[in-house]
């Protein structure tokens, strides 16, 4: 299971980062799940500048990056303060930006504030219900008066560790139990691997990409040579993209996945875009994208992928300005 620890405050002078680190450090000692800290400061989302996310398709690159981050997790721990008896606006905005990516996952709450952030969690449980997130009963409540020195330096009592462990136990257990409802079958696993590719490309994380490809992957790309053989050659190709763009974005649209006995094929449309070191935005081009997966002991890995563009029969030139 992959669990995201969402830091729900972006305010200057926040104490939530101390709490989130405490949660992450404790969770990292476990062997039953992978935990990742997700700071909303790294996802500066606008205030709902596009339609509701029921389709799972988004136009704004900031929303697409956030959707990929949420989609790649099986469950969440929300670290939240309480603002005026309610949820921080930035956290509510992040939850409202996407929808299907939250569905049939589990969540727990670590809250802090004047009364431990309890009223914020009350509101969040209602939001989770609307987003089809199963919120677990155990929670960690951290009053400023007792768990923070001078209300600014986080120094939790030892008893809070037991409460946190119980919370994590439940989040992992419910995330695991809900896997079949998320399509915990092969198709959902394959789609999850492609979500990892998207997330890793946007983070320019070559090591994360390495784990998605088979060591003997064969890749047909739109640029020479005719094929890239082996994971090192594939990563070298992506590294070249990372040197071209200061910021990388990658989109997949109209993806269809077909699963067989130990093999799966996905096809759709992909586009690499980004921002050059000069600050110039490059829209990129849509290509036809095909992925072939093989099931291994470590899960589904890409053994072949192919990107192609149609060409004009008369001129022999590629047609790179088509839209899906």
């Amino acid at each position: 299971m992959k669990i995201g620890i969402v830091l729900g405050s972006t305010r200057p002078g926040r104490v939530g980062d101390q709490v989130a680190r405490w949660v992450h450090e404790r969770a990292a000692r476990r062997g039953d799940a992978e935990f990742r800290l997700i700071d909303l400061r790294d996802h500066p989302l606008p205030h709902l500048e596009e339609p509701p996310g029921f389709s799972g398709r988004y136009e704004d690159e900031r929303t697409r990056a956030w959707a990929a981050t949420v989609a790649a997790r099986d469950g969440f721990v929300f670290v939240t303060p309480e603002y005026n008896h309610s949820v921080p606006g930035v956290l509510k905005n992040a939850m409202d930006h996407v929808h299907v990516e939250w569905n049939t996952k589990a969540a727990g709450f670590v809250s802090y504030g004047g009364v431990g952030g309890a009223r914020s969690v009350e509101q969040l449980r209602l939001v989770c219900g609307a987003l089809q997130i199963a919120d677990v009963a155990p929670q960690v409540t951290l009053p400023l008066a007792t768990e923070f020195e001078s209300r600014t330096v986080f120094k939790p009592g030892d008893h809070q560790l037991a409460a946190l462990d119980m919370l994590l136990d439940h989040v992992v257990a419910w995330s695991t139990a809900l896997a079949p409802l998320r399509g915990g079958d092969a198709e959902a696993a394959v789609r999850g691997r492609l979500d990892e590719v998207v997330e890793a490309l946007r983070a320019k994380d070559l090591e994360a990409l390495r784990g998605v490809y088979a060591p003997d992957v064969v890749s047909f790309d739109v640029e020479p040579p005719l094929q890239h053989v082996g994971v090192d050659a594939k990563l070298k190709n992506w590294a070249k993209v990372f040197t071209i763009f200061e910021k990388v974005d990658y989109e997949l649209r109209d993806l269809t996945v077909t699963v067989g006995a130990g093999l799966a094929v996905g096809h759709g449309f992909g586009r690499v875009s980004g921002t050059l070191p000069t600050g110039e935005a490059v829209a990129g081009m849509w290509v036809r994208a095909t992925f072939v997966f093989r099931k291994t002991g470590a899960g589904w890995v890409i053994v072949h992928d192919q990107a192609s563009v149609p060409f004009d029969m008369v001129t022999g030139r590629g047609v790179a300005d088509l839209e899906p």
Side-chain angles (χ1 to χ4, degrees), residues 132-143:
Q132 300 179 44
I133 301 173
D135 54 304
V136 303
Q139 68 184 67
V140 178
T141 305
L142 304 167

Side-chain angles (χ1 to χ4, degrees), residues 193-194 196-202 204-214 231 234-235 238-239 242 302:
R193 292 301 260 171
L194 290 173
E196 291 180 44
V197 171
V198 173
E199 189 174 1
L201 290 176
R202 290 171 175 163
K204 303 173 78 170
D205 188 341
L206 288 174
E207 286 308 305
L209 286 168
R210 182 181 294 276
V212 181
Y213 293 102
V231 66
K234 179 64 181 178
L235 295 183
W238 280 126
F242 294 166
I302 298 174

Side-chain angles (χ1 to χ4, degrees), residues 7 14 31 70 80 98 106-107 127 130 138 169 172 184 187 191 203 231 237 239 246 249 264 316 322:
L7 174 48
R14 65 184 181 181
V70 175
T80 178
V98 298
V127 176
D169 287 344
V172 173
E187 179 180 343
R191 289 180 178 273
V231 66
N237 196 39
E246 184 74 21
D249 191 21
L322 300 179

Side-chain angles (χ1 to χ4, degrees), residues 103-235:
N103 294 172
T104 57
K105 298 180 180 180
F109 308 98
V110 177
S111 62
Y112 59 94
V115 292
R119 292 169 295 202
S120 177
V121 173
E122 288 178 357
Q123 299 288 326
L124 281 171
R125 291 189 186 278
L126 296 174
V127 176
C128 284
L131 292 174
Q132 300 179 44
I133 301 173
D135 54 304
V136 303
Q139 68 184 67
V140 178
T141 305
L142 304 167
L144 290 176
T146 61
E147 309 301 322
F148 294 80
E149 185 178 283
S150 302
R151 303 174 70 89
T152 58
V153 180
F154 184 47
K155 292 189 175 181
D158 292 341
H159 65 284
Q160 296 289 3
L161 290 175
L164 178 58
D165 288 341
M166 180 179 292
L167 166 67
L168 296 173
D169 287 344
H170 281 69
V171 171
V172 173
W174 276 93
S175 297
T176 303
L178 289 169
L181 296 181
R182 293 195 296 276
D185 53 13
E187 179 180 343
V190 167
R191 289 180 178 273
R193 292 301 260 171
L194 290 173
D195 287 336
E196 291 180 44
V197 171
V198 173
E199 189 174 1
L201 290 176
R202 290 171 175 163
K204 303 173 78 170
D205 188 341
L206 288 174
E207 286 308 305
L209 286 168
R210 182 181 294 276
V212 181
Y213 293 102
D216 57 349
V217 61
V218 176
S219 179
F220 294 168
D221 212 331
V222 293
E223 60 179 357
L226 286 174
Q227 61 180 7
H228 306 277
V229 180
V231 66
D232 289 334
K234 179 64 181 178
L235 295 183

